[in-house]
Amino acid sequence: MKARITKELLNIDGPQIVLLSGSANRRFIGVAVDYPNMEYPFFCCSVHQADWINYIENKADLRFLYEAAKGRSYYLFDWNKCNDGEANLKKASLDDVEDESLWPDHGFFASYHTVEVKISNIQNETEQDFYIDGKWEPNEFSSLYAKLADVYALSFVQSQLLSPNTNQSIKSSIEDAVADRMFKGGGSYIGFYGDLSKRVSGQSQLTVNKIQYASPGVINIRGNSDIFDLMKEIIAEFEDNFSTCRDLYGKIDSALSKLRLKRQSRSSSFPSKQIEDDMFGKATELLKAIGFKNTQELYVACKGDALVYTKLSLSVFRRVNGIHKFRAQGRLRIED
């Protein structure tokens, strides 16, 4: 995987900590390490926007970024093999990830950088282009926008649950949206995602600025820049782990069908604690593979109901997979 080196955060007789950017606006941080068969090796991890803000504000150390790496995504690259500022990231093996000598020590904060890094105001709005190509049926445009809006709302939820500054009233609004929408229409999630953003904050709402129906064309949408970043991270993480996500979805969906729990009332539950634990584990694994880090907070937002939580994991998969299908067909491209 390719990533561009955007900044040397710490340079002492050469780069020691570097910042990189990848596709779908993914952010990586890398530290110089000792590693065999590489001239100038770096050990990297992907960094979630909320974690990055905490790090830059000295509310978390460098070690925390690695421990909280989104999707447990770790990589290695050779600085001396970089070409025109571009690094070739190699997925770290499980043995590499478990090698404590590669990990940064506790207690290194952003204030120790040799260059200053600023973060943008998280309230800033921006415009995001979604480029379309190929043949589209009229109903597919509305379907695409609905899925984009749903994943945007999901990203908004993640940003609120991850932020240490989110107050209890906002978290309660998220819980209320789950409770109100979860079983309407026999288990339908119609309106659930849009309801989340309406309940919590008007600033999260998407606004379509322009739709150019052509081949190629573009859908230009205005929204919160940091939520767009999270949204693109979720899509990228989903595509990296697509096989795992698809297999987990199939197992959960099949199990709920056999248990006849897909369209049951709110009072329904799993028939045994063993089955509940198994489904809860698979749902958590699915959400993490998609890129949803704070699964425990999401479970709390589901009022601790394992069946609601499990059904929500399937819903999240369907929304992100809907966007992935357009991208896999070559009909949708998201600008970094």
Side-chain angles (χ1 to χ4, degrees), residues 86-103:
E86 191 172 71
N88 185 21
L89 303 189
K90 169 192 171 185
K91 190 86 170 180
S93 67
L94 180 60
D95 288 340
D96 292 331
V97 174
E98 293 178 347
D99 184 352
E100 183 65 26
S101 69
L102 297 179
W103 285 60

Side-chain angles (χ1 to χ4, degrees), residues 234 237-252 285-291 314 317 320-321:
I234 287 174
E237 193 71 22
F238 177 87
E239 292 180 346
D240 282 350
N241 300 319
F242 177 70
S243 295
T244 298
C245 293
R246 180 184 57 192
D247 291 347
L248 285 167
Y249 176 87
K251 291 176 181 178
I252 296 170
E285 191 177 352
L286 174 58
L287 288 166
K288 288 184 175 180
I290 292 172
L314 297 183
F317 173 91
V320 183
N321 188 49

Side-chain angles (χ1 to χ4, degrees), residues 17 46 80 132 135 145 157 174 262:
I17 302 176
S46 60
N80 285 352
I132 53 179
K135 183 179 179 181
Y145 178 74
V157 170
I174 293 174
K262 293 186 69 175

Side-chain angles (χ1 to χ4, degrees), residues 123-223:
Q123 301 300 321
N124 283 349
E125 286 190 330
T126 190
E127 293 180 9
Q128 176 67 50
D129 287 331
F130 298 87
Y131 293 98
I132 53 179
D133 207 342
K135 183 179 179 181
W136 288 73
E137 299 297 331
N139 65 315
E140 288 183 311
F141 286 107
S142 58
S143 174
L144 171 61
Y145 178 74
K147 289 177 174 60
L148 290 173
D150 285 349
V151 177
Y152 180 89
L154 168 67
S155 304
F156 176 79
V157 170
Q158 175 154 234
S159 72
Q160 295 302 308
L161 295 181
L162 282 172
S163 174
N165 300 319
T166 302
N167 61 43
Q168 186 55 47
S169 65
I170 290 179
K171 290 186 177 181
S172 295
S173 294
I174 293 174
E175 294 175 6
D176 290 343
V178 174
D180 287 352
R181 296 286 185 170
M182 192 54 53
F183 290 102
K184 287 187 177 179
S188 172
Y189 290 80
I190 295 172
F192 167 62
Y193 295 94
D195 199 30
L196 283 171
S197 52
K198 289 177 183 177
R199 285 171 179 266
V200 178
S201 174
Q203 74 165 10
S204 72
Q205 295 298 301
L206 286 179
T207 302
V208 178
N209 285 342
K210 175 181 68 176
I211 300 180
Q212 179 185 334
Y213 297 104
S215 184
V218 64
I219 300 175
N220 179 269
I221 300 176
R222 174 168 289 277

